[in-house]
Amino acid sequence: MARAIEMLANLLAVTVLCICVHNTFQLVPLPDFIHPCGELTDECFTQATLDAIPGVVRGIPEAGIPSLDPLYLDRNITMNLPGNVKMTFHNGKLSGLRTCVPDKVSSHREKRTFIFDIHCNFTIKGHYSILGRILLFSLDTEGSAKIKIWNQHIRLEVLEKVVKDKNGEGHYKINSYKYKADYGTDLKLNLTNLFRGSPQISANILDVLNSNSQLVAAEFGGPILDYAIDYAMNVTQRFFSTYTYDQISKVPLTEEFFEDD
Ligand SMILES: *[C@@H]1O[C@H](CO)[C@@H](O)[C@H](O)[C@H]1NC(C)=O
Ligand SMILES: *[C@@H]1O[C@H](CO)[C@@H](O)[C@H](O)[C@H]1NC(C)=O
Ligand SMILES: *[C@@H]1O[C@H](CO)[C@@H](O)[C@H](O)[C@H]1NC(C)=O
Ligand SMILES: *[C@@H]1O[C@H](CO)[C@@H](O)[C@H](O)[C@H]1NC(C)=O
């Protein structure tokens, strides 16, 4: 009898140990550049975002997050430029996510919303092809494209919820997001080989495009920014799915905050 109890106790101990070890091993250790906030203040979230950006942009392999700078665009982007010009952009590469600086990051817990006000310097490179007319010239050409954007301001609103995983651990889940970018920023566009055989005409056309920089930024930068932000949101979701709420936040969550997936 005593022996049976002893065996049972051992079995129990082993089981408990297994569960603990099992659970402990399931938590992916939080990278040291993630500094959880103990309060819901703008100061803390802004600082934590500033601290997190360089490390997240370098990539977190254990969370399935690749390096984000440069970001390679895996699809073609088609845009309509001023006048009647259709431009396709391919083999695109966006550099500069590591330059992003948060001006203000706020949590509005009652609305389940985070708001990020950030600014970044971007360089976008790739190949373009163009079909259409600019000024008096018909264009049917292709070449390399480079666009530099300074101080691109972005206001990103992320709607989240917290759901429980199969171990009962809470995780943020992004419900939806939207963003606004102000294109009142400084921009320089360079397209090689724009007008075949005439560097002078090419330069003139570029001048026209560059003097409409807000429009070009919206038309050209817009779809690329759409891509980059969608990509960043996918990465952020992977981050949230890897790390539990309790790992990345020191603000306790009451039961009412958990929602069904
Ligand atoms: C992207 O555009 C290039 C050049 O126009 C073309 O060769 C390629 O097939 C396109 N790729 C996709 C995925 O549409
Ligand atoms: C963006 O570029 C400008 C001009 O080179 C520089 O002064 C500024 O510090 C850069 N901003 C960031 C966020 O890197
Ligand atoms: C555009 O890029 C080409 C090739 O890199 C360079 O030779 C040219 O000077 C650039 N033009 C402008 C206006 O920056
Ligand atoms: C983000 O993820 C969604 C869903 O998996 C996917 O359809 C979309 O293409 C991704 N966005 C980017 C920019 O990779």
Side-chain angles (χ1 to χ4, degrees):
M1 182 66 184
R3 181 151 169 75
I5 289 175
E6 195 186 323
M7 267 173 66
L8 200 64
N10 276 342
L11 191 67
L12 212 63
V14 168
T15 310
V16 167
L17 193 70
C18 278
I19 290 172
C20 291
V21 169
H22 192 59
N23 269 343
T24 315
F25 271 87
Q26 274 181 339
L27 290 185
V28 179
L30 195 65
D32 60 6
F33 49 82
I34 304 296
H35 301 151
C37 282
E39 48 183 36
L40 300 170
T41 60
D42 294 355
E43 290 71 29
C44 188
F45 283 112
T46 307
Q47 185 63 45
T49 306
L50 187 69
D51 297 342
I53 285 174
V56 174
V57 167
R58 271 197 303 275
I60 312 176
E62 63 273 27
I65 298 176
S67 165
L68 305 177
D69 197 352
L71 188 64
Y72 295 93
L73 280 61
D74 70 0
R75 63 199 71 167
N76 290 354
I77 290 173
T78 299
M79 50 208 129
N80 297 303
L81 289 178
N84 186 16
V85 180
K86 195 172 146 181
M87 177 157 164
T88 305
F89 185 67
H90 50 104
N91 285 339
K93 183 173 107 172
L94 172 84
S95 311
L97 280 174
R98 82 196 121 80
T99 71
C100 293
V101 173
D103 301 307
K104 188 166 124 181
V105 179
S106 324
S107 162
H108 300 274
R109 179 155 280 186
E110 70 292 351
K111 293 188 199 147
R112 307 289 200 276
T113 303
F114 282 101
I115 299 178
F116 297 85
D117 276 298
I118 60 173
H119 66 274
C120 319
N121 288 340
F122 289 127
T123 303
I124 299 160
K125 285 185 183 171
H127 292 101
Y128 77 92
S129 46
I130 257 183
L131 198 61
R133 295 180 72 82
I134 297 181
L135 305 176
L136 300 171
F137 307 107
S138 324
L139 296 175
D140 176 4
T141 185
E142 59 188 337
S144 58
K146 178 174 169 184
I147 187 169
K148 274 205 73 126
I149 304 176
W150 286 274
N151 275 315
Q152 171 71 67
H153 181 256
I154 298 165
R155 184 188 176 86
L156 173 67
E157 246 183 84
V158 180
L159 208 68
E160 44 81 5
K161 60 183 178 180
V162 179
V163 300
K164 280 189 180 166
D165 68 15
K166 57 183 189 320
N167 302 315
E169 296 282 354
H171 289 267
Y172 274 123
K173 179 154 193 207
I174 297 173
N175 255 355
S176 64
Y177 72 87
K178 59 183 178 186
Y179 84 92
K180 270 199 301 223
D182 82 63
Y183 294 109
T185 44
D186 226 358
L187 170 147
K188 193 165 172 227
L189 173 69
N190 190 354
L191 305 170
T192 66
N193 199 33
L194 192 49
F195 197 76
R196 287 182 219 272
S198 175
Q200 189 51 50
I201 295 175
S202 297
N204 289 347
I205 296 173
L206 266 186
D207 280 349
V208 170
L209 289 174
N210 276 309
S211 61
N212 289 291
S213 65
Q214 293 199 19
L215 234 139
V216 174
E219 293 291 332
F220 191 104
I224 293 167
L225 214 51
D226 284 348
Y227 180 92
I229 290 178
D230 197 50
Y231 194 95
M233 289 294 98
N234 284 356
V235 160
T236 307
Q237 182 57 62
R238 251 177 268 160
F239 180 86
F240 289 155
S241 303
T242 303
Y243 303 106
T244 66
Y245 176 88
D246 289 336
Q247 281 181 291
I248 60 176
S249 174
K250 298 279 169 255
V251 181
L253 210 52
T254 49
E255 202 57 35
E256 85 220 44
F257 275 96
F258 290 99
E259 288 177 46
D260 291 332
D261 199 355

